[in-house]
Amino acid sequence: MAELAARASTWWAIFQINFYEKLVYRGDFMLGTLMRFLPIVTQIFLWSAIFSARGGGDSTGEEIVGYTYYNIVAYYLLSTVSRAFSSMPGLASGIALQIREGEIKKYLIQPLDLISFFLLNRVAHKLTYYIVAAVPFAIVFFVCRGYFEGWPPAQVLCAYFFSLILSFMLGFFMEATIGMIGFWFLEVRSLLFVYMLFTFFLSGHMFPLDMLNELGGPWSTIVKSLPLMYLAYFPAAVFLEKITGAELMWGLIVQVGWVVFFIIASRLAFHYGVKQYSAYGG
């Protein structure tokens, strides 16, 4: 019990250090949050033009694959929140850089679990981000409140927040796994570029993925079989009640399954990567 308490005290101290360190950059967080919403202005004008063209000059009242113009704008705002949870800027490249330059040695010779250390760092990063960015988020959603039909039922709201937490876990362990590949290849920037490219198109960041249902063929099934859709599309669709009932429960179960899969994958990559590691650099 004493050992467990000492370990918890150590992790709490690490979390506090990371949290206060991130607060130093609160101005950057606030400005970055506002900039994150700017591309949505382009999307609003684009979809306004599409719906207006379809409705003969009137963007209201028209539907495209079950989405009204207001649904689309609300979707983009919510997918921005999802991406804020699941995006891990610099995580994979940072791990690979530390492996390549030998800095990772300092973690290997200390009684610390490397992946847990990085996870605590990211939790502190996200917590700081949302504390500082609460005001910009509140302003944007207040200005755009007319695009929403109101708050969903309590059980849907709980499912939405649960899926957001899972999207954070999924984003972290996916990028941690990619970063661990640096034990074998030292440089993962090309692999990371491919991952970011696929994430941009297949996570639902560009458009609601259920629009692919209209294409026919296997495309919709293939895209929805990938874990990427849980990084942006799935939480937003849950909030808008586009996914309900048994489909919602199955979606959450699959999302948990992907999180567990990448936890195991990152652990295995670290375990065998350390055996491969030759401690290059000073």
Side-chain angles (χ1 to χ4, degrees):
M1 183 61 75
E3 183 183 352
L4 186 63
R7 184 170 298 183
S9 176
T10 302
W11 289 117
W12 175 242
I14 292 171
F15 172 77
Q16 284 183 303
I17 292 169
N18 280 306
F19 178 72
Y20 290 121
E21 181 189 7
K22 297 296 183 295
L23 273 179
V24 174
Y25 307 105
R26 54 190 178 277
D28 180 66
F29 280 134
M30 191 171 288
L31 183 62
T33 303
L34 281 175
M35 295 300 105
R36 191 184 289 266
F37 282 104
L38 281 184
I40 290 180
V41 176
T42 307
Q43 296 287 352
I44 289 174
F45 283 121
L46 173 65
W47 283 100
S48 175
I50 293 172
F51 276 90
S52 294
R54 187 183 176 93
D58 184 13
S59 61
T60 60
E62 292 295 321
E63 282 195 9
I64 298 177
V65 200
Y67 285 86
T68 65
Y69 169 61
Y70 290 91
N71 286 157
I72 285 288
V73 176
Y75 173 82
Y76 279 110
L77 289 168
L78 290 166
S79 65
T80 301
V81 175
S82 305
R83 290 292 299 145
F85 268 80
S86 62
S87 66
M88 300 289 157
L91 176 62
S93 58
I95 293 173
L97 181 66
Q98 294 197 31
I99 294 170
R100 187 171 66 249
E101 297 190 351
E103 294 178 8
I104 207 164
K105 291 196 300 288
K106 64 186 178 187
Y107 299 107
L108 302 181
I109 61 176
Q110 295 176 10
L112 287 174
D113 177 64
L114 179 70
I115 296 177
S116 299
F117 178 83
F118 284 138
L119 179 60
L120 269 182
N121 186 287
R122 287 291 157 166
V123 170
H125 175 97
K126 293 295 181 186
L127 187 59
T128 310
Y129 174 83
Y130 280 103
I131 289 174
V132 175
V135 173
F137 267 106
I139 292 172
V140 170
F141 276 85
F142 179 77
V143 170
C144 299
R145 65 189 183 283
Y147 293 107
F148 291 87
E149 297 174 355
W151 290 98
Q155 65 273 19
V156 174
L157 209 54
C158 290
Y160 170 67
F161 285 119
F162 184 53
S163 68
L164 279 181
I165 294 170
L166 290 175
S167 69
F168 164 77
M169 300 287 287
L170 183 59
F172 174 82
F173 284 105
M174 283 177 72
E175 289 220 16
T177 304
I178 294 173
M180 297 297 173
I181 294 174
F183 279 115
W184 287 271
F185 296 100
L186 295 181
E187 182 56 77
V188 298
R189 275 185 292 189
S190 298
L191 180 61
L192 194 56
F193 175 77
V194 173
Y195 167 74
M196 296 301 294
L197 187 66
F198 277 99
T199 299
F200 189 72
F201 287 105
L202 304 181
S203 69
H205 188 72
M206 288 290 291
F207 56 88
L209 294 179
D210 44 3
M211 286 186 168
L212 293 174
N213 296 339
E214 296 295 306
L215 286 179
W219 300 111
S220 177
T221 304
I222 292 172
V223 171
K224 291 182 179 179
S225 300
L226 301 174
L228 300 178
M229 66 171 273
Y230 296 98
L231 299 178
Y233 165 74
F234 185 75
V238 169
F239 187 97
L240 294 174
E241 298 183 77
K242 298 294 182 183
I243 300 174
T244 57
E247 188 182 4
L248 171 59
M249 290 304 299
W250 177 245
L252 290 172
I253 291 170
V254 173
Q255 193 176 11
V256 170
W258 277 119
V259 171
V260 172
F261 174 84
F262 280 102
I263 288 175
I264 295 171
S266 63
R267 288 286 173 189
L268 287 175
F270 178 60
H271 175 76
Y272 289 105
V274 170
K275 295 180 182 295
Q276 174 79 15
Y277 185 56
S278 299
Y280 295 110

Coordinates of all heavy atoms in Angstrom, one line a residue, residues 155-223:
Q155 N -28.8 11.2 -21.9 CA -28.0 10.0 -22.2 C -27.2 10.2 -23.5 O -26.1 9.6 -23.5 CB -29.0 8.8 -22.4 CG -29.9 8.9 -23.5 CD -31.2 9.6 -23.2 OE1 -31.3 10.3 -22.2 NE2 -32.3 9.3 -24.0
V156 N -27.7 11.0 -24.4 CA -26.9 11.2 -25.6 C -25.7 12.1 -25.3 O -24.6 11.9 -25.8 CB -27.8 11.9 -26.7 CG1 -26.9 12.3 -27.9 CG2 -28.9 11.0 -27.1
L157 N -25.9 13.1 -24.4 CA -24.8 13.9 -24.0 C -23.7 13.2 -23.3 O -22.5 13.4 -23.5 CB -25.4 15.0 -23.1 CG -24.6 16.4 -23.0 CD1 -24.5 17.0 -24.4 CD2 -25.4 17.4 -22.1
C158 N -24.1 12.2 -22.4 CA -23.2 11.3 -21.7 C -22.4 10.5 -22.7 O -21.1 10.4 -22.6 CB -23.9 10.4 -20.7 SG -24.5 11.2 -19.3
A159 N -23.1 9.9 -23.7 CA -22.4 9.2 -24.8 C -21.4 10.0 -25.6 O -20.3 9.6 -25.9 CB -23.4 8.5 -25.7
Y160 N -21.8 11.3 -25.8 CA -21.0 12.2 -26.5 C -19.7 12.5 -25.8 O -18.6 12.4 -26.3 CB -21.7 13.5 -26.8 CG -20.9 14.6 -27.3 CD1 -20.3 14.6 -28.6 CD2 -20.6 15.8 -26.5 CE1 -19.5 15.6 -29.1 CE2 -19.8 16.8 -27.0 CZ -19.3 16.7 -28.3 OH -18.5 17.7 -28.8
F161 N -19.8 12.8 -24.5 CA -18.6 13.1 -23.7 C -17.7 11.8 -23.6 O -16.5 11.9 -23.6 CB -18.9 13.7 -22.3 CG -19.4 15.1 -22.4 CD1 -20.7 15.5 -22.0 CD2 -18.5 16.1 -22.9 CE1 -21.1 16.8 -22.1 CE2 -18.9 17.4 -23.0 CZ -20.2 17.8 -22.6
F162 N -18.3 10.7 -23.4 CA -17.6 9.4 -23.3 C -16.8 9.2 -24.6 O -15.6 8.8 -24.6 CB -18.5 8.3 -23.1 CG -17.8 6.9 -22.9 CD1 -16.8 6.8 -21.9 CD2 -18.2 5.8 -23.6 CE1 -16.2 5.6 -21.7 CE2 -17.6 4.6 -23.4 CZ -16.6 4.5 -22.5
S163 N -17.4 9.4 -25.8 CA -16.8 9.2 -27.1 C -15.6 10.2 -27.2 O -14.6 9.9 -27.9 CB -17.7 9.3 -28.2 OG -18.2 10.6 -28.4
L164 N -15.8 11.5 -26.7 CA -14.7 12.4 -26.8 C -13.5 12.0 -26.0 O -12.3 12.1 -26.4 CB -15.2 13.8 -26.2 CG -16.0 14.7 -27.1 CD1 -16.4 16.0 -26.4 CD2 -15.3 15.0 -28.4
I165 N -13.7 11.4 -24.8 CA -12.6 10.9 -24.0 C -11.9 9.8 -24.7 O -10.7 9.7 -24.8 CB -13.1 10.5 -22.6 CG1 -13.6 11.7 -21.8 CG2 -12.0 9.7 -21.8 CD1 -14.3 11.3 -20.5
L166 N -12.7 8.9 -25.3 CA -12.1 7.8 -26.1 C -11.4 8.3 -27.3 O -10.3 7.7 -27.7 CB -13.3 6.8 -26.5 CG -13.9 6.0 -25.4 CD1 -15.1 5.2 -26.0 CD2 -12.9 5.0 -24.7
S167 N -11.8 9.3 -27.9 CA -11.1 9.9 -29.1 C -9.8 10.4 -28.7 O -8.8 10.3 -29.4 CB -12.0 11.0 -29.8 OG -12.1 12.1 -29.0
F168 N -9.7 11.0 -27.5 CA -8.4 11.5 -27.0 C -7.5 10.3 -26.8 O -6.3 10.3 -27.2 CB -8.6 12.2 -25.6 CG -7.3 12.4 -24.8 CD1 -6.4 13.3 -25.2 CD2 -7.1 11.5 -23.7 CE1 -5.2 13.4 -24.5 CE2 -5.9 11.6 -23.0 CZ -5.0 12.6 -23.4
M169 N -8.0 9.2 -26.1 CA -7.2 8.0 -25.9 C -6.7 7.4 -27.2 O -5.6 7.0 -27.3 CB -8.0 7.0 -25.1 CG -8.4 7.5 -23.7 SD -7.1 7.6 -22.5 CE -6.8 5.9 -22.2
L170 N -7.7 7.3 -28.2 CA -7.3 6.7 -29.4 C -6.3 7.5 -30.2 O -5.3 6.9 -30.7 CB -8.6 6.6 -30.3 CG -8.5 5.9 -31.7 CD1 -8.0 4.5 -31.5 CD2 -9.8 5.9 -32.4
G171 N -6.4 8.8 -30.2 CA -5.4 9.7 -30.9 C -4.1 9.5 -30.2 O -3.1 9.5 -30.9
F172 N -4.0 9.5 -28.9 CA -2.7 9.4 -28.2 C -2.0 8.1 -28.5 O -0.9 8.1 -28.9 CB -2.9 9.5 -26.7 CG -1.7 9.3 -25.9 CD1 -0.7 10.3 -25.8 CD2 -1.4 8.0 -25.4 CE1 0.5 10.1 -25.1 CE2 -0.2 7.8 -24.7 CZ 0.7 8.8 -24.6
F173 N -2.7 7.0 -28.4 CA -2.1 5.7 -28.5 C -1.8 5.4 -30.0 O -0.8 4.6 -30.3 CB -2.9 4.6 -27.9 CG -2.8 4.6 -26.4 CD1 -3.8 5.0 -25.6 CD2 -1.6 4.1 -25.7 CE1 -3.7 5.1 -24.2 CE2 -1.5 4.2 -24.4 CZ -2.5 4.7 -23.6
M174 N -2.6 5.9 -30.9 CA -2.2 5.7 -32.3 C -0.9 6.4 -32.7 O 0.0 5.8 -33.3 CB -3.3 6.2 -33.2 CG -4.5 5.3 -33.3 SD -5.9 6.0 -34.3 CE -5.2 5.9 -35.9
E175 N -0.8 7.7 -32.2 CA 0.4 8.4 -32.5 C 1.6 7.9 -31.7 O 2.8 7.9 -32.2 CB 0.2 9.9 -32.3 CG -0.7 10.6 -33.3 CD -0.2 12.0 -33.7 OE1 0.9 12.3 -33.4 OE2 -1.1 12.7 -34.3
A176 N 1.4 7.4 -30.5 CA 2.5 6.8 -29.7 C 3.0 5.6 -30.4 O 4.2 5.4 -30.5 CB 2.0 6.5 -28.3
T177 N 2.1 4.8 -31.0 CA 2.6 3.6 -31.8 C 3.4 4.0 -33.0 O 4.4 3.4 -33.2 CB 1.3 2.8 -32.2 OG1 0.5 2.5 -31.1 CG2 1.7 1.5 -32.9
I178 N 3.0 5.0 -33.7 CA 3.7 5.5 -34.9 C 5.1 6.0 -34.4 O 6.1 5.7 -35.0 CB 3.0 6.6 -35.6 CG1 1.7 6.0 -36.2 CG2 3.8 7.2 -36.7 CD1 0.8 7.1 -36.8
G179 N 5.1 6.7 -33.3 CA 6.4 7.3 -32.8 C 7.4 6.1 -32.4 O 8.6 6.2 -32.6
M180 N 6.8 5.0 -31.8 CA 7.7 3.9 -31.4 C 8.3 3.2 -32.6 O 9.3 2.5 -32.5 CB 6.8 2.9 -30.6 CG 6.3 3.4 -29.3 SD 7.5 3.9 -28.1 CE 6.5 4.6 -26.9
I181 N 7.7 3.4 -33.8 CA 8.3 2.8 -35.0 C 9.7 3.3 -35.2 O 10.6 2.7 -35.9 CB 7.4 3.0 -36.2 CG1 6.1 2.2 -36.0 CG2 8.1 2.5 -37.5 CD1 5.1 2.4 -37.1
G182 N 10.0 4.5 -34.6 CA 11.3 5.1 -34.7 C 12.4 4.3 -34.2 O 13.6 4.5 -34.5
F183 N 12.1 3.3 -33.3 CA 13.1 2.4 -32.8 C 13.7 1.5 -33.9 O 14.9 1.1 -33.8 CB 12.5 1.4 -31.8 CG 12.4 2.0 -30.4 CD1 11.1 2.2 -29.8 CD2 13.5 2.3 -29.6 CE1 11.0 2.8 -28.5 CE2 13.4 2.9 -28.4 CZ 12.1 3.1 -27.8
W184 N 13.0 1.3 -35.0 CA 13.5 0.5 -36.1 C 13.9 1.4 -37.3 O 14.9 1.1 -37.9 CB 12.4 -0.4 -36.6 CG 12.1 -1.6 -35.7 CD1 12.7 -2.8 -35.7 CD2 11.2 -1.6 -34.6 NE1 12.2 -3.5 -34.7 CE2 11.3 -2.9 -34.0 CE3 10.2 -0.7 -34.1 CZ2 10.5 -3.2 -32.9 CZ3 9.5 -1.0 -33.0 CH2 9.6 -2.3 -32.4
F185 N 13.2 2.5 -37.5 CA 13.5 3.3 -38.7 C 14.1 4.7 -38.4 O 14.5 5.4 -39.3 CB 12.2 3.5 -39.6 CG 11.7 2.2 -40.1 CD1 10.6 1.6 -39.5 CD2 12.3 1.6 -41.2 CE1 10.1 0.4 -40.0 CE2 11.8 0.4 -41.7 CZ 10.7 -0.2 -41.1
L186 N 14.2 5.1 -37.2 CA 14.7 6.3 -36.7 C 13.9 7.6 -37.2 O 13.7 8.5 -36.5 CB 16.2 6.5 -37.1 CG 17.1 5.5 -36.5 CD1 18.6 5.7 -36.9 CD2 17.1 5.5 -34.9
E187 N 13.5 7.6 -38.5 CA 12.8 8.7 -39.0 C 11.4 8.3 -39.4 O 11.2 7.3 -40.2 CB 13.5 9.2 -40.3 CG 12.9 10.4 -40.9 CD 12.7 11.6 -39.9 OE1 13.7 12.2 -39.6 OE2 11.6 11.7 -39.5
V188 N 10.4 8.9 -38.9 CA 9.0 8.5 -39.2 C 8.2 9.6 -39.9 O 7.0 9.6 -40.0 CB 8.2 8.1 -37.9 CG1 8.9 6.8 -37.3 CG2 8.1 9.2 -36.9
R189 N 8.9 10.7 -40.4 CA 8.1 11.8 -40.9 C 7.3 11.5 -42.1 O 6.2 11.9 -42.3 CB 9.1 13.0 -41.3 CG 9.4 13.9 -40.1 CD 10.3 15.0 -40.4 NE 11.6 14.6 -40.9 CZ 12.6 15.4 -41.1 NH1 12.4 16.7 -40.9 NH2 13.8 15.0 -41.4
S190 N 7.8 10.6 -43.0 CA 7.1 10.2 -44.2 C 5.8 9.4 -43.8 O 4.7 9.6 -44.3 CB 7.9 9.4 -45.1 OG 9.0 10.1 -45.6
L191 N 6.0 8.5 -42.8 CA 4.9 7.7 -42.3 C 3.9 8.6 -41.7 O 2.6 8.4 -41.8 CB 5.4 6.6 -41.3 CG 4.4 5.7 -40.7 CD1 3.7 4.9 -41.8 CD2 5.0 4.8 -39.7
L192 N 4.3 9.6 -40.9 CA 3.4 10.5 -40.2 C 2.7 11.3 -41.2 O 1.5 11.6 -41.0 CB 4.3 11.4 -39.3 CG 3.5 12.1 -38.2 CD1 2.6 11.2 -37.4 CD2 4.4 12.9 -37.3
F193 N 3.3 11.7 -42.3 CA 2.7 12.5 -43.4 C 1.5 11.7 -44.0 O 0.4 12.2 -44.2 CB 3.7 12.9 -44.4 CG 3.1 13.6 -45.6 CD1 2.7 14.9 -45.5 CD2 2.8 12.9 -46.8 CE1 2.1 15.6 -46.6 CE2 2.2 13.6 -47.9 CZ 1.9 14.9 -47.8
V194 N 1.8 10.4 -44.3 CA 0.7 9.6 -44.8 C -0.4 9.5 -43.8 O -1.6 9.5 -44.2 CB 1.3 8.2 -45.2 CG1 0.2 7.2 -45.6 CG2 2.3 8.3 -46.3
Y195 N -0.1 9.3 -42.5 CA -1.1 9.1 -41.5 C -2.0 10.4 -41.4 O -3.2 10.3 -41.4 CB -0.4 8.9 -40.2 CG -1.3 9.0 -39.0 CD1 -2.3 8.1 -38.7 CD2 -1.2 10.1 -38.1 CE1 -3.2 8.2 -37.6 CE2 -2.1 10.3 -37.0 CZ -3.0 9.3 -36.8 OH -3.8 9.5 -35.7
M196 N -1.3 11.6 -41.4 CA -2.0 12.9 -41.3 C -2.9 13.1 -42.6 O -4.0 13.6 -42.5 CB -1.1 14.0 -41.2 CG -0.2 14.0 -39.9 SD -1.2 14.0 -38.4 CE -1.9 15.6 -38.5
L197 N -2.4 12.6 -43.7 CA -3.2 12.8 -45.0 C -4.5 12.0 -44.9 O -5.6 12.5 -45.2 CB -2.3 12.4 -46.2 CG -2.9 12.6 -47.6 CD1 -3.0 14.1 -47.8 CD2 -2.0 12.0 -48.6
F198 N -4.3 10.7 -44.5 CA -5.5 9.8 -44.4 C -6.4 10.3 -43.3 O -7.7 10.3 -43.4 CB -5.1 8.4 -44.1 CG -4.7 7.6 -45.3 CD1 -3.4 7.5 -45.7 CD2 -5.7 7.1 -46.2 CE1 -3.1 6.8 -46.9 CE2 -5.4 6.4 -47.3 CZ -4.0 6.2 -47.7
T199 N -5.9 10.8 -42.2 CA -6.7 11.3 -41.1 C -7.5 12.5 -41.5 O -8.7 12.6 -41.2 CB -5.8 11.7 -39.9 OG1 -5.1 10.6 -39.5 CG2 -6.6 12.2 -38.8
F200 N -6.9 13.4 -42.3 CA -7.6 14.6 -42.8 C -8.9 14.3 -43.6 O -9.9 14.9 -43.4 CB -6.7 15.5 -43.6 CG -7.2 16.8 -43.9 CD1 -7.3 17.8 -43.0 CD2 -7.6 17.1 -45.2 CE1 -7.8 19.0 -43.3 CE2 -8.1 18.4 -45.6 CZ -8.2 19.3 -44.6
F201 N -8.8 13.2 -44.5 CA -9.9 12.9 -45.3 C -10.8 11.9 -44.7 O -12.0 11.9 -45.0 CB -9.3 12.4 -46.7 CG -8.8 13.4 -47.5 CD1 -7.4 13.5 -47.7 CD2 -9.6 14.4 -48.2 CE1 -6.8 14.5 -48.5 CE2 -9.0 15.4 -49.0 CZ -7.7 15.4 -49.1
L202 N -10.3 10.9 -43.9 CA -11.1 9.8 -43.5 C -11.6 9.9 -42.1 O -12.2 9.0 -41.6 CB -10.3 8.5 -43.7 CG -9.8 8.2 -45.1 CD1 -9.1 6.9 -45.2 CD2 -11.0 8.2 -46.1
S203 N -11.3 11.0 -41.4 CA -11.7 11.1 -40.0 C -13.1 11.8 -39.9 O -13.7 11.9 -38.8 CB -10.7 11.9 -39.1 OG -10.6 13.2 -39.6
G204 N -13.5 12.4 -41.0 CA -14.7 13.2 -41.0 C -14.4 14.7 -40.9 O -15.3 15.5 -40.7
H205 N -13.2 15.0 -41.0 CA -12.8 16.4 -40.8 C -13.3 17.3 -42.0 O -13.6 18.4 -41.9 CB -11.3 16.5 -40.7 CG -10.8 17.9 -40.4 ND1 -10.9 18.4 -39.1 CD2 -10.1 18.8 -41.1 CE1 -10.4 19.6 -39.1 NE2 -9.9 19.9 -40.3
M206 N -13.3 16.6 -43.2 CA -13.7 17.4 -44.4 C -15.2 17.4 -44.6 O -15.8 18.4 -45.1 CB -13.1 16.7 -45.6 CG -11.6 17.0 -45.7 SD -11.2 18.7 -46.1 CE -11.8 18.8 -47.8
F207 N -15.9 16.2 -44.3 CA -17.4 16.1 -44.6 C -17.9 15.0 -43.7 O -17.1 14.1 -43.3 CB -17.7 15.9 -46.0 CG -17.0 14.7 -46.6 CD1 -17.6 13.4 -46.5 CD2 -15.7 14.8 -47.2 CE1 -16.9 12.3 -47.0 CE2 -15.1 13.6 -47.7 CZ -15.7 12.4 -47.6
P208 N -19.2 15.0 -43.4 CA -19.8 13.9 -42.6 C -19.6 12.6 -43.4 O -20.0 12.5 -44.5 CB -21.2 14.3 -42.4 CG -21.3 15.8 -42.6 CD -20.2 16.1 -43.6
L209 N -19.1 11.6 -42.7 CA -18.8 10.3 -43.4 C -20.0 9.6 -43.9 O -19.9 8.8 -44.8 CB -17.9 9.4 -42.5 CG -16.5 10.0 -42.2 CD1 -15.8 9.0 -41.3 CD2 -15.7 10.2 -43.4
D210 N -21.2 9.8 -43.3 CA -22.4 9.1 -43.8 C -22.8 9.6 -45.2 O -23.7 9.0 -45.8 CB -23.5 9.2 -42.8 CG -23.7 10.6 -42.2 OD1 -23.0 11.5 -42.6 OD2 -24.6 10.7 -41.3
M211 N -22.2 10.7 -45.7 CA -22.4 11.1 -47.0 C -21.9 10.0 -48.0 O -22.4 10.0 -49.2 CB -21.8 12.4 -47.3 CG -22.5 13.6 -46.7 SD -21.9 15.2 -47.2 CE -23.1 16.3 -46.6
L212 N -20.9 9.2 -47.6 CA -20.4 8.2 -48.5 C -21.4 7.1 -48.8 O -21.2 6.3 -49.7 CB -19.1 7.6 -47.8 CG -17.9 8.5 -47.7 CD1 -16.8 7.8 -46.9 CD2 -17.4 8.9 -49.0
N213 N -22.5 7.0 -47.9 CA -23.5 6.0 -48.2 C -24.1 6.1 -49.6 O -24.5 5.2 -50.2 CB -24.6 6.1 -47.2 CG -24.1 5.8 -45.8 OD1 -23.1 5.1 -45.6 ND2 -24.8 6.3 -44.7
E214 N -24.1 7.4 -50.1 CA -24.7 7.6 -51.4 C -23.8 7.1 -52.6 O -24.3 7.0 -53.7 CB -24.9 9.2 -51.6 CG -25.9 9.7 -50.6 CD -27.3 9.2 -50.8 OE1 -27.8 9.2 -51.9 OE2 -27.9 8.6 -49.8
L215 N -22.5 6.9 -52.3 CA -21.6 6.5 -53.3 C -21.9 5.0 -53.8 O -21.7 4.7 -54.9 CB -20.2 6.5 -52.9 CG -19.6 7.9 -52.8 CD1 -18.1 7.8 -52.3 CD2 -19.6 8.6 -54.2
G216 N -22.4 4.2 -52.8 CA -22.6 2.8 -53.1 C -21.3 2.1 -53.1 O -20.2 2.7 -52.9
G217 N -21.3 0.8 -53.3 CA -20.1 0.0 -53.3 C -19.6 -0.1 -51.9 O -20.3 0.2 -50.9
P218 N -18.3 -0.6 -51.8 CA -17.8 -0.9 -50.4 C -17.2 0.3 -49.7 O -16.7 0.2 -48.6 CB -16.7 -1.9 -50.8 CG -16.2 -1.5 -52.1 CD -17.4 -0.9 -52.8
W219 N -17.2 1.5 -50.4 CA -16.4 2.7 -49.8 C -16.8 3.1 -48.4 O -16.0 3.3 -47.5 CB -16.5 3.8 -50.8 CG -15.9 3.5 -52.1 CD1 -16.6 3.4 -53.3 CD2 -14.5 3.2 -52.4 NE1 -15.8 3.0 -54.3 CE2 -14.5 2.9 -53.8 CE3 -13.4 3.1 -51.7 CZ2 -13.3 2.6 -54.5 CZ3 -12.2 2.8 -52.3 CH2 -12.2 2.5 -53.7
S220 N -18.1 3.2 -48.2 CA -18.6 3.6 -46.9 C -18.2 2.6 -45.8 O -17.8 2.9 -44.7 CB -20.1 3.8 -46.9 OG -20.6 4.1 -45.7
T221 N -18.4 1.3 -46.2 CA -18.0 0.2 -45.2 C -16.5 0.2 -44.9 O -16.1 0.1 -43.7 CB -18.4 -1.2 -45.8 OG1 -19.8 -1.2 -46.1 CG2 -18.1 -2.3 -44.8
I222 N -15.7 0.4 -45.9 CA -14.3 0.4 -45.7 C -13.9 1.6 -44.8 O -13.1 1.4 -43.8 CB -13.5 0.5 -47.1 CG1 -13.7 -0.7 -47.9 CG2 -12.0 0.8 -46.8 CD1 -13.2 -0.7 -49.3
V223 N -14.4 2.8 -45.1 CA -14.0 4.0 -44.3 C -14.5 3.8 -42.8 O -13.8 4.1 -41.9 CB -14.6 5.2 -44.9 CG1 -14.4 6.4 -44.0 CG2 -13.9 5.5 -46.3

